[in-house]
Amino acid sequence: MLVDLQQDWAAAVAAKLAADGFAPIERISTRTQFVTLGASLGCIIAHRDSDKDGVTTLRDRGPLASKVGFEGFGTGPLPPHTDRSGVTEPPALLLVVCEQKSVTGGYCTAVDGRAVYADLAACDPDVLDALSRSRIALFGGASGHLGSIFEPAQGGRIRIRYRTDGLVKYSPDIMRYLPVLAAAIKRHTILFGLEPGEGYVLHNHRWLHGRTAFTGDRVMYRLSLNPHPEFAIPSGFIRPDLPMAVAG
């Protein structure tokens, strides 16, 4: 019976991800349950900071947060970004669940990359063209990934890769366009809180995520996944200017 429940949960979440790239989750009572449900949805991808079960525990770890790339272990804000942008194929799915909420602040932020793309296509097409050029950003340092912010994906789809910390260098040619992108991201940012046991699954090739600053001992669990093939969750998003039948 438990296996059936896991499969039903994964199928429902997969359908939501295929359509919208984002799915809320709730009633996650233990870390073991979190890992078990994650594994029913996809193959767990180890992270630099994860434990043996693949879970990264995000909480305040003091001085560690001052190091580039470790800001998630502090109490400050995290601007919207995609995870693992420095590798050629970042994990597709990100699962986050709240273990302990903050005293103040610590709201989650999420941004639909498709909405940002559509915004720029309608209002600033020259900016969108510039941000879609190849080899405009070096993500992850010298041995990282040289690519673009909006890049082509299979089936004529688009996926987004973005960060603003010390692990990215943008070409001087596009620096003047980045404030326009930042303003579009701000216009489409969703802000929400999580209670213990609540969380979300998002498609890391479509959605940006982050958080606001907080006080208190906020604890979040995170898993990175690649979805099981049978769920047929496509990468990225359909270009807003393409009909569904053509894009699919």
Side-chain angles (χ1 to χ4, degrees):
M1 183 64 176
L2 182 59
V3 172
D4 290 340
L5 290 175
Q6 292 170 14
Q7 291 174 341
D8 289 347
W9 177 88
V13 170
K16 186 71 172 172
L17 291 171
D20 304 322
F22 188 95
I25 57 177
E26 60 182 2
R27 292 183 291 180
I28 307 296
S29 57
T30 67
R31 176 174 175 147
T32 299
Q33 182 190 22
F34 178 57
V35 174
T36 300
L37 291 175
S40 70
L41 182 62
C43 177
I44 296 173
I45 307 299
H47 189 277
R48 174 199 66 192
D49 306 314
S50 63
D51 295 326
K52 290 182 180 180
D53 59 2
V55 175
T56 300
T57 302
L58 297 170
R59 70 190 313 167
D60 181 19
R61 293 176 58 184
L64 179 64
S66 63
K67 297 176 61 176
V68 174
F70 290 84
E71 293 86 351
F73 296 107
T75 61
L78 287 179
H81 63 284
T82 56
D83 263 21
R84 305 290 298 278
S85 59
V87 301
T88 301
E89 291 294 331
L93 305 181
L94 187 73
L95 281 71
V96 175
V97 71
C98 175
E99 167 66 13
Q100 182 169 303
K101 64 185 296 186
S102 53
V103 175
T104 63
Y107 294 102
C108 299
T109 57
V111 187
D112 188 348
R114 186 177 191 271
V116 174
Y117 187 98
D119 188 325
L120 294 175
C123 302
D124 297 281
D126 292 342
V127 173
L128 181 59
D129 288 344
L131 300 180
S132 302
R133 297 174 193 159
S134 61
R135 303 172 66 87
I136 59 168
L138 178 61
F139 297 96
S143 60
H145 175 79
L146 184 62
S148 56
I149 294 174
F150 295 105
E151 57 190 21
Q154 189 174 6
R157 300 170 71 90
I158 301 293
R159 64 183 188 180
I160 188 169
R161 186 188 300 258
Y162 182 70
R163 67 190 305 146
T164 56
D165 62 5
L167 289 178
V168 63
K169 291 185 178 180
Y170 291 108
S171 165
D173 295 343
I174 69 158
M175 292 298 291
R176 66 184 184 276
Y177 301 121
L178 295 180
V180 180
L181 172 61
I185 289 173
K186 185 176 182 180
R187 285 194 292 273
H188 295 282
T189 296
I190 301 167
L191 188 72
F192 58 96
L194 295 176
E195 296 294 325
E198 296 179 341
Y200 61 83
V201 187
L202 61 75
H203 204 307
N204 187 47
H205 303 167
R206 171 170 173 171
W207 284 77
L208 313 178
H209 67 281
R211 70 158 190 246
T212 65
F214 65 91
T215 65
D217 189 18
R218 179 183 189 266
V219 182
M220 297 281 166
Y221 292 149
R222 181 185 68 194
L223 275 175
S224 299
L225 305 175
N226 281 327
H228 294 311
E230 59 266 28
F231 291 126
I233 302 172
S235 178
F237 54 87
I238 296 171
R239 280 174 42 190
D241 58 331
L242 286 183
M244 292 288 288
V246 173

